[in-house]
Amino acid sequence: MKEVLEGVFSGYSFRSKVENEEEGDVSVIQMKDLGNGYQDIGDQLVKIRSENIPEKYWLRPGDVLFISKGANNYALVFDKAIKAVAASAFFVLRPDQRKIVPEYLAWYINQKETQRYIEENRAGTYIPNVNKATVLGINIKLPPLEEQKFIAKVDFLRKREYLLTNELLAKREQLIAQKLLKKINE
């Protein structure tokens, strides 16, 4: 994996609980901010003042956030146009976009075969964690960039379909419940 990355670094390690600051100018991405099966970053991010954070921790669009702590070691692309840092539960993978598409990298990490490798190589029993050597040891199959973009687009559409289908099912369930309640209240 090392050959397709500009760098890998840990998220910022805060000394205490992250508290929202009124004058904050940088958002903090924490595990609690992830939604849709660890594939989306929410909009209600805690803000802190950037003067406390070294610039090397600031995220760039296209960085891939890899969850290194816990049993769900998935990856997602940071694609927000905000100044942000990732908390220490993440590794930040900075892809060389001349060689690999960030969305393809995240997709590849999330595949069963790669997840099995990660699971077999993580440490800890109570709170499992993945070390940097394990991440760098992921053997990535690297098709041409156009093919990577195609795979990433199809995966995006698959996720979008899944979310819309679930939304539709929830609305259908709500509608049926309302109709049945109306029927018994007539």
Side-chain angles (χ1 to χ4, degrees), residues 45-135:
L45 303 174
V46 170
K47 292 200 171 233
I48 60 171
R49 283 184 251 153
S50 62
E51 65 209 32
N52 303 327
I53 309 292
E55 204 170 314
K56 71 178 187 173
Y57 289 101
W58 296 359
L59 297 174
R60 298 181 195 163
D63 282 348
V64 174
L65 303 179
F66 173 78
I67 304 167
S68 62
K69 309 254 188 289
N72 298 307
N73 306 115
Y74 298 114
L76 69 154
V77 177
F78 174 73
D79 60 358
K80 296 191 174 284
I82 58 171
K83 189 191 282 188
V85 296
S88 62
F90 298 96
F91 275 124
V92 178
L93 312 177
R94 186 155 291 152
D96 180 343
Q97 294 188 33
R98 296 168 299 171
K99 297 177 181 176
I100 192 164
V101 174
E103 293 80 4
Y104 174 80
L105 175 59
W107 171 82
Y108 195 89
I109 290 171
N110 294 337
Q111 296 310 295
K112 283 183 183 174
E113 186 178 306
T114 308
Q115 287 294 306
R116 195 172 312 115
Y117 162 80
I118 292 167
E119 188 176 331
E120 290 169 358
N121 288 284
R122 63 182 176 211
T125 50
Y126 183 65
I127 299 178
N129 65 73
V130 180
N131 64 32
K132 187 175 179 179
T134 297
V135 173

Side-chain angles (χ1 to χ4, degrees), residues 18-28 45-49 82-83:
V18 182
E19 301 285 345
N20 195 51
E21 297 180 38
E22 287 294 319
E23 290 96 36
D25 64 331
V26 65
S27 297
V28 179
L45 303 174
V46 170
K47 292 200 171 233
I48 60 171
R49 283 184 251 153
I82 58 171
K83 189 191 282 188

Side-chain angles (χ1 to χ4, degrees), residues 1 6 8 11 21-22 38 48 51 59 66 69 75 79 93 103 110 128 130 140 145 152 157 163 165 176 178 181-182:
M1 161 124 42
E6 290 180 9
V8 177
E21 297 180 38
E22 287 294 319
Y38 304 99
I48 60 171
E51 65 209 32
L59 297 174
F66 173 78
K69 309 254 188 289
D79 60 358
L93 312 177
E103 293 80 4
N110 294 337
V130 180
I140 293 211
L145 285 174
L157 293 171
L163 293 173
T165 301
I176 291 171
Q178 287 173 348
L181 283 172
K182 184 178 178 184

Side-chain angles (χ1 to χ4, degrees), residues 12-19 30:
Y12 186 74
S13 184
F14 293 92
R15 303 275 181 231
S16 60
K17 184 178 179 204
V18 182
E19 301 285 345
Q30 304 173 76

